[in-house]
Amino acid sequence: MPNTLHVDYELKTYDESMKIVEEAMEVARQEIPKGVVADYIPELGKADPNQLGICIYPLQGEKIELGDYKTRFTIQSISKIISLCVALELFGANKLFEIVEAEPSGEAFNSLVELDLNSNKPYNPLINSGAIAVAGLLIEEVSFHDMLRFSRELCDDKEIALNRKVYESEMSTCSRNRAIAYLLESKNIINSDVEDALRFYTKMCSLDVTAESLANFANRIANDGVGNITGKRYLSSETVRIVKTLMLTCGMYDGSGTYAVEVGIPTKSGVGGGLLAVSDKRAGIGVFGPSLDPKGNSIAGCRLLKEISNKLRLSLFFDTDYLKATRKDYSLNQKLHE
Ligand code: GLU
């Protein structure tokens, strides 16, 4: 088997990497009972909370796949990354940031309080208000069918399709998102048909994906928008730069700061239990675990990524001199107590 992942400067073999991921899965599984599946969309409430799967797709080497990595689930908020990519490619950053900011929000994913009281723009494109605003822009240029085609291409997964049951279940219970959409219209942020924008947004959330399809997409983002085998460019460097930055600062809702400290990998979550994580220049990672923490992020999935980030040293912020710096003679703690 070829080598797969770097840990510091040392290249781990496939078997060594797999062992690390297997151990991380065992630790992460223990978190499952502490979370609950989302049931505010009734169809999502039917998911088996005990599922957990991961696909790690390194830029060089074999995929590492474990558990329920082939199970289909709805992409939910991770679709905000696809819509953001398409909006940046079609309209450019200047036009996009006319309708949405790039600031983290300390509010829940479906909050409309800040938008109503404090701002004339949604805080960022990765919360519901921002993504519904982006949907209002996208429907001027593309159909849902176009988006389905882009999604299949970006995720290298021809099987991605609309999950009608989840879509209809969400459309019949989406008063909050509808309220957000009309608030955006009242502020002239949505100028297209507001119900069309809401349907488009909800359809994008209802695409069925797997952890593997998310890893394929993440791999391309990690490789500056280029397929690591074909060399084909899917996204511009500028789009990729903005998307990675927003994933790091805003991708985990009001849990983004803690997650950045604990894991340090740009990631986007969805209430279907998916996580799309981009370890820049190293690997794309897709995770599925439908038991969620109170912020709406996969509870076991986050723990799994935390373990893997620490073991494989994937955090963006690891000091490459870390090992040297923690040797006894470099210990700040020791110096303080000398
Ligand atoms: N379709 C979901 C909603 O709008 C997506 C939320 C999420 O995944 O966080 O409520």
Side-chain angles (χ1 to χ4, degrees), residues 69-126:
Y69 69 93
K70 277 210 177 295
T71 303
R72 295 257 157 211
F73 60 94
T74 51
I75 189 169
Q76 297 300 336
S77 267
I78 302 168
S79 66
K80 290 167 179 155
I81 300 294
I82 299 177
S83 296
L84 175 62
C85 286
V86 176
L88 285 166
E89 294 286 314
L90 284 181
F91 300 100
N94 289 345
K95 175 124 175 147
L96 180 83
F97 292 119
E98 276 173 18
I99 61 157
V100 66
E101 311 262 12
E103 295 300 337
S105 142
E107 301 285 320
F109 67 94
N110 57 1
S111 171
L112 34 71
V113 176
E114 289 185 39
L115 176 65
D116 189 23
L117 300 179
N118 303 329
S119 162
N120 279 323
K121 282 187 201 178
Y123 271 63
N124 66 68
L126 302 188

Side-chain angles (χ1 to χ4, degrees), residues 255-265 302-303 305-310 315 317-318:
S256 297
T258 307
Y259 183 85
V261 170
E262 292 190 346
V263 182
I265 304 173
C302 288
R303 184 57 194 265
L305 285 171
K306 180 179 170 183
E307 292 295 311
I308 288 171
S309 175
N310 286 327
S315 169
F317 304 108
F318 267 134

